Amino acid sequence: MEPILQLTNISKRFPGVQALDGVHFDICPGEVHALVGENGAGKSTMIKIISGVHRPDSGEIRIDGQPVEFNNPREATERGIATIYQELSLYPELTVAENIFMGHAPSSQVGPFRKINWGEMFDRAQEILASLNIHDMDVRRKVGSLSVGNRQRVEIAKALSINARILIMDEPTASLTEADVERLFEIVRLLRERGVGIIYISHRLQEVFELGDRVTVLRDGQYIDTKPVSETTEDELISMMVGRTIDNLFPKLPSEVREPVLEVRDLRRRPSVRGVSMQVRAGEIVGLAGLVGSGRSELAQTIFGITPAQSGEIFVNGQKVEIKTPAQAVKLGIAYVPEDRGTQGLIKEMTIRENVSMAVLPELARGGFIDFAREKTLAQEAIQQLNIRATSVQQIVAKLSGGNQQKVVVSKWLASKPRLLIMDEPTRGIDVGAKAEIHRLMSELAVQGIAILMISSELPEILGMSDRILVMREGRLVAEFSRDEATQENIAAAMMSAQMENNHLVMERSAR
Amino acid sequence: MTATTQSASTTAAAGSGVRARLSGFFNQDVVLALLVVTLTIFVWLVNPRFLAQRNVLDMLNNSSYIAVAAIGMTMVIISGNIDISVGSLIGLLATISGQIAIGAQDGGYPLWIAFIVPLFVGALIEAFIGFLVAYLRIPSIVVSLGMFSILKGALILWTNGVWIYNLPDDFMLAQQAPLGVPVPIYFMVILTILAALWMKYSATGRAIYAVGGNREAARLSGISEKATIMKVFIINGVMVGIASILFATQFNAIQSTVPPGLELFIITASVVGGVSILGGTGTVIGSTLGSILLHVIRFGMQFVDVSQYWLQAVQGILILVTVMVDLLRRRRQSYSGRG
């Protein structure tokens, strides 16, 4: 069959990262084409190129065999491409019908104005929903009062209202209940019968096998392969997704693992942390792997008191403690290098000196006044130790590069002489040189006896740096590997494919 | 006006050590001071009477209570908040102070109580605002706007707008002039210096800048952002209390109403003085120079015979220009190379 949409040799570069490199993709009418890959494989970039958000640097997009160029999302919409993003883009204060017809409400010209034909809009909204076998939704209701599953149905109806021929669904089941997942699958099948081409992105490989006709795998922005779903297996997909080589970027030093510094027992914080028990020992780097949304960052934030635990126990150096605020965590010798240094790590208008001392102000102060000489020494040591490239300690951190900003955040926490260092994506978005330096530093800190808990979405980083690897999924720890037994395949399998328990239920029900 | 500052600070980062040190001297405060001097010389050239000793002291004297209130306002704005209620609060505290002074005249308690109570009441009311802002996370503009109306209404209900006369002579603090210099000027200078040192060198001062610069990052660094915001508002309350006493004791009667637009004049002084309306940057010295600058303009206009009605427009233009320069500076400051 002739594809409706065809992408050939698409490349896209962002500052510092080749997001897509010569990727191919096509979709036929009445087909569900699944797109899989790890975090950062380039799936989102590809969707954004198809939906007109980004323009490719090179390559060709054809619709019905004709080359096209999208300058903005509207032009893609006009060609019948609709996208349902993970975070739904509806207006909560408007009605279902208004949301469905946002931007193209049925209207008539009255003098210089356009008048919305409300009756027609409600009727047509009802029709569209009915065509999706949705009969239980009031089109006059405000979207804000709907459940997540119902909002998603509104999104799909919205796509149909523009006669979408290609529907992109980005992780559509991520936040749905099982019953909603089942209804979604029915709708997807209905649309497929109607000849809509569906690009289906999901981490849940079971869904790929249940719904998909073909599947395309991306890895690190590279096109790996496209296969009919019937001719592949879950294991094969996982190995295609993770088949990266571990380069020798991370010289992990051997380190003596000693007594536990942190222990948590059945830690819970709804909705993302659902009963976690683990230990991190002095001198040890524990890698915490998992998909985005698996609860890794939330676990870190619960330990650090940003979102305090609702139940469970935390022990620091064997002592049972309560951590309700970050200030308490800091006093207990816990440090947290956050995922987003811009909003959580730095005060960008301030100097390096002021940022480095931020977590140790009470120790630096005498009688409430800061010892400026000591503060300056501290900042100078940080610049030397971490090789921060700056003109002086007085430089405003906003003017530093991403890697150097990250080093400032790390030095802020080293100044507090932590026993436990939690690092959330410590090398995301920084250049290779700075990355190696941060890895070297982590390794040295472990040798000095600091306990390190590292969250990372990059499996090579997890494998290269960790003494022990924990895998988190849906708010729980689901696997543990020693450094020797861990491979990309078994970690990735633990992250993704053991979704089975959940999805079996769904499959059984929808089979009925 | 601050355009020079901006180019100075831009070159500071790019330039060599010597240039950095040179332009470090050319910070915003120095530029403001130069502007005050330039403007003064300009008015003096048009009308030499402007620099008569009495006029200069008058001008500084008039700036003083604004400058003292602006010190508190500056801290509030640096912490990422704002306080609209200060105009009403000054009116209320001045009236409280005056009533107590009259009571003291009749005997029963010493006069100094009239100078102390407004400070406590100011701190108490601002602590309440601070509580709502810090702990209940209600935006400060809403809280202080509400407080503005409440205090204004309370004051009118209490006094019916009747002026307070027959104040005891000893009460007239602002009319004293040891060594020929009016008392308010001492207050302005001393409080500015103390507050500037405190903001620069104290751990709490640093925390105020940090919370205003990035509340989340400050909190994650172990700074108690709630306690910091509470402290800021309480200090502001004390500053407003002092300002209200200087205000109450400058004439032989107290107006018992809220001087219209007073809060905006105080906020203008801070903003013109280089305090970023987005929080995180600015200095107390700047805000005091800002207050003086506004008064040089106000007095200068009379001396060069320009209608007072222009004053509002000039004030407005100053605000727009300084805020624009601040935003441009922030935009340019972010790192533009590869992340």
Side-chain angles (χ1 to χ4, degrees):
Chain A
M1 203 185 291
E2 175 81 355
I4 357 174
L5 174 76
Q6 192 166 22
L7 276 71
T8 320
N9 234 342
I10 296 286
S11 294
K12 176 76 186 174
R13 191 176 172 78
F14 292 113
V17 53
Q18 184 74 41
L20 287 179
D21 190 3
V23 170
H24 309 284
F25 190 81
D26 65 75
I27 185 152
C28 300
E31 179 192 41
V32 176
H33 192 155
L35 184 59
V36 298
E38 282 190 290
N39 302 329
K43 292 169 298 180
S44 300
T45 309
M46 197 167 109
I47 299 171
K48 284 182 177 158
I49 284 174
I50 296 174
S51 59
V53 177
H54 294 318
R55 293 182 65 162
D57 298 335
S58 63
E60 195 182 49
I61 306 176
R62 282 172 183 265
I63 289 185
D64 300 324
Q66 299 296 312
V68 290
E69 268 186 42
F70 300 138
N71 294 306
N72 53 49
R74 178 170 278 260
E75 290 183 13
T77 310
E78 280 162 6
R79 301 304 297 261
I81 297 172
T83 311
I84 297 169
Y85 287 105
Q86 263 165 298
E87 54 303 336
L88 305 175
S89 51
L90 296 171
Y91 300 88
E93 287 301 314
L94 298 183
T95 62
V96 169
E98 283 170 287
N99 269 289
I100 291 175
F101 286 102
M102 180 52 64
H104 54 278
S107 59
S108 50
Q109 197 78 29
V110 179
F113 304 106
R114 292 200 71 82
K115 176 183 165 296
I116 290 177
N117 300 333
W118 287 90
E120 190 189 341
M121 184 164 78
F122 287 132
D123 291 345
R124 278 179 52 195
Q126 200 85 62
E127 279 167 30
I128 291 172
L129 290 171
S131 76
L132 291 169
N133 272 336
I134 301 167
H135 304 290
D136 53 356
M137 198 189 293
D138 180 1
V139 293
R140 288 178 168 80
R141 215 166 131 183
K142 279 187 184 172
V143 160
S145 66
L146 300 178
S147 70
V148 179
N150 271 322
R151 278 185 230 178
Q152 194 178 51
R153 280 165 219 149
V154 174
E155 282 270 14
I156 296 171
K158 186 175 163 185
L160 293 187
S161 76
I162 58 160
N163 297 317
R165 299 161 63 214
I166 297 164
L167 186 61
I168 305 170
M169 304 179 101
D170 188 2
E171 292 282 347
T173 56
S175 48
L176 293 190
T177 63
E178 278 172 32
D180 281 331
V181 170
E182 199 177 320
R183 280 192 77 170
L184 176 74
F185 285 5
E186 280 168 24
I187 291 173
V188 170
R189 292 194 185 97
L190 205 68
L191 293 174
R192 173 164 58 185
E193 278 162 32
R194 239 185 262 170
V196 177
I198 294 159
I199 303 173
Y200 192 92
I201 292 154
S202 182
H203 279 306
R204 304 183 177 180
L205 294 183
Q206 284 296 325
E207 292 176 4
V208 171
F209 284 94
E210 199 189 336
L211 280 179
D213 298 305
R214 285 190 296 161
V215 55
T216 290
V217 181
L218 297 183
R219 183 209 308 153
D220 293 338
Q222 307 275 338
Y223 172 80
I224 303 303
D225 202 0
T226 302
K227 292 200 157 196
V229 166
S230 54
E231 289 169 22
T232 185
T233 62
E234 204 168 295
D235 288 342
E236 189 187 23
L237 285 184
I238 289 176
S239 71
M240 286 199 285
M241 284 158 70
V242 299
R244 264 182 288 186
T245 52
I246 304 170
D247 32 29
N248 292 325
L249 259 179
F250 324 119
K252 169 88 174 73
L253 306 169
S255 147
E256 182 202 347
V257 175
R258 285 170 270 174
E259 76 289 347
V261 172
L262 173 82
E263 180 174 1
V264 301
R265 288 184 199 157
D266 198 28
L267 203 65
R268 285 168 194 270
R269 165 84 194 193
R270 264 178 307 245
S272 307
V273 182
R274 290 148 65 177
V276 171
S277 301
M278 64 164 188
Q279 277 190 348
V280 186
R281 291 187 284 262
E284 180 185 41
I285 299 180
V286 174
L288 190 55
L291 296 168
V292 169
S294 60
R296 297 169 302 168
S297 298
E298 290 81 358
L299 173 62
Q301 290 171 3
T302 300
I303 295 170
F304 195 64
I306 299 167
T307 49
Q310 288 159 333
S311 67
E313 295 172 309
I314 303 177
F315 297 84
V316 173
N317 277 17
Q319 298 282 313
K320 186 167 187 295
V321 293
E322 292 248 323
I323 303 177
K324 298 278 178 217
T325 64
Q328 286 172 337
V330 173
K331 280 204 193 92
L332 289 165
I334 303 176
Y336 172 62
V337 176
E339 186 178 4
D340 184 344
R341 60 181 165 269
T343 60
Q344 298 181 305
L346 291 171
I347 297 172
K348 288 197 167 180
E349 289 273 298
M350 284 191 163
T351 61
I352 295 174
R353 173 176 58 80
E354 290 165 320
N355 270 287
V356 168
S357 65
M358 195 58 69
V360 292
L361 282 180
E363 287 107 278
L364 275 183
R366 284 205 197 113
F369 286 89
I370 300 164
D371 183 339
F372 268 51
R374 273 177 65 198
E375 188 183 38
K376 196 177 167 192
T377 315
L378 196 68
Q380 279 165 342
E381 285 168 4
I383 287 181
Q384 272 183 350
Q385 192 189 356
L386 276 90
N387 196 14
I388 299 172
R389 274 172 282 285
T391 51
S392 78
V393 295
Q394 288 299 100
Q395 192 165 353
I396 304 285
V397 295
K399 295 196 184 225
L400 298 174
S401 72
N404 284 306
Q405 288 186 356
Q406 182 71 354
K407 290 183 197 169
V408 172
V409 181
V410 174
S411 12
K412 167 173 83 178
W413 287 113
L414 293 187
S416 74
K417 305 220 171 356
R419 286 185 281 222
L420 171 68
L421 178 61
I422 304 173
M423 304 180 99
D424 195 349
E425 303 286 359
T427 62
R428 172 178 287 175
I430 67 180
D431 59 273
V432 181
K435 196 167 177 169
E437 276 168 313
I438 286 182
H439 286 143
R440 172 184 57 83
L441 182 80
M442 288 170 70
S443 199
E444 285 169 10
L445 292 171
V447 172
Q448 288 165 28
I450 294 179
I452 298 177
L453 179 63
M454 175 187 72
I455 296 171
S456 174
S457 290
E458 290 181 39
L459 286 183
E461 182 172 53
I462 291 267
L463 288 167
M465 293 306 298
S466 314
D467 293 301
R468 197 153 56 89
I469 294 143
L470 301 174
V471 182
M472 207 166 166
R473 195 182 64 236
E474 293 177 356
R476 296 185 186 90
L477 291 180
V478 292
E480 176 170 349
F481 301 102
S482 69
R483 184 175 175 83
D484 300 330
E485 63 195 19
T487 63
Q488 299 211 28
E489 283 75 16
N490 60 20
I491 296 175
M495 279 160 62
M496 285 176 269
S497 62
Q499 300 278 346
M500 288 178 213
E501 318 108 51
N502 271 346
N503 279 19
H504 270 317
L505 283 172
V506 178
M507 285 168 65
E508 278 161 26
R509 266 191 231 161
S510 52
R512 249 177 262 152
Chain B
M1 155 198 72
T2 32
T4 345
T5 332
Q6 193 213 337
S7 59
S9 64
T10 315
T11 43
S16 64
V18 182
R19 268 169 67 201
R21 228 165 294 151
L22 243 182
S23 52
F25 175 75
F26 264 99
N27 63 26
Q28 200 148 348
D29 295 346
V30 175
V31 173
L32 258 176
L34 289 177
L35 193 68
V36 169
V37 171
T38 316
L39 212 65
T40 308
I41 291 172
F42 172 75
V43 178
W44 171 70
L45 286 174
V46 178
N47 188 342
R49 277 191 302 127
F50 183 58
L51 275 191
Q53 192 199 12
R54 218 184 65 95
N55 287 330
V56 173
L57 287 179
D58 255 13
M59 198 168 66
L60 290 174
N61 191 0
N62 272 279
S63 323
S64 296
Y65 81 95
I66 297 286
V68 170
I71 291 173
M73 182 64 74
T74 296
M75 294 178 186
V76 170
I77 297 178
I78 289 174
S79 79
N81 293 292
I82 195 139
D83 185 0
I84 311 288
S85 73
V86 291
S88 293
L89 190 54
I90 287 178
L92 180 75
L93 296 180
T95 305
I96 289 175
S97 180
Q99 296 285 6
I100 294 174
I102 286 178
Q105 206 171 19
D106 301 337
Y109 54 86
L111 183 65
W112 57 261
I113 292 188
F115 296 136
I116 296 300
V117 171
L119 274 54
F120 279 101
V121 176
L124 205 68
I125 290 173
E126 290 286 330
F128 180 64
I129 296 177
F131 173 78
L132 295 182
V133 173
Y135 291 89
L136 303 188
R137 282 194 167 242
I138 308 175
S140 53
I141 190 157
V142 177
V143 176
S144 62
L145 198 58
M147 191 54 80
F148 172 81
S149 287
I150 293 169
L151 297 179
K152 192 174 176 178
L155 183 58
I156 292 170
L157 283 175
W158 179 27
T159 63
N160 287 320
V162 177
W163 291 33
I164 304 173
Y165 295 100
N166 304 323
L167 292 157
D169 288 344
D170 291 349
F171 180 62
M172 295 304 162
L173 183 69
Q175 294 174 26
Q176 317 282 326
L179 307 172
V181 178
V183 163
I185 298 178
Y186 289 104
F187 271 93
M188 171 171 76
V189 172
I190 291 168
L191 287 175
T192 300
I193 292 171
L194 289 180
L197 291 174
W198 186 77
M199 283 297 279
K200 186 167 164 66
Y201 291 103
S202 77
T204 309
R206 178 69 60 79
I208 294 171
Y209 281 103
V211 169
N214 185 344
R215 184 170 171 158
E216 188 64 7
R219 189 169 81 97
L220 297 196
S221 301
I223 289 173
S224 168
E225 93 282 13
K226 293 182 173 121
T228 305
I229 291 174
M230 278 296 281
K231 281 183 205 164
V232 164
F233 276 96
I234 291 171
I235 294 167
N236 182 41
V238 174
M239 288 297 167
V240 171
I242 297 172
S244 73
I245 289 164
L246 299 178
F247 174 75
T249 59
Q250 58 184 345
F251 307 116
N252 291 327
I254 298 172
Q255 224 176 319
S256 288
T257 52
V258 178
L262 184 56
E263 60 287 327
L264 290 183
F265 199 68
I266 293 165
I267 293 169
T268 307
S270 287
V271 172
V272 168
V275 179
S276 168
I277 204 76
L278 301 175
T281 58
T283 67
V284 168
I285 291 178
S287 89
T288 296
L289 288 170
S291 315
I292 294 174
L293 178 69
L294 289 183
H295 281 83
V296 171
I297 293 172
R298 177 185 266 186
F299 274 63
M301 280 177 152
Q302 292 169 17
F303 279 87
V304 298
D305 209 18
V306 174
S307 159
Q308 282 294 293
Y309 294 112
W310 280 102
L311 183 65
Q312 301 280 339
V314 171
Q315 249 172 262
I317 290 165
L318 273 178
I319 288 195
L320 291 180
V321 169
T322 33
V323 169
M324 254 156 39
V325 169
D326 176 46
L327 292 180
L328 285 177
R329 182 182 58 82
R330 278 177 189 248
R331 225 169 279 165
R332 205 182 285 187
Q333 203 161 60
S334 48
Y335 181 76
S336 47
R338 254 185 59 173

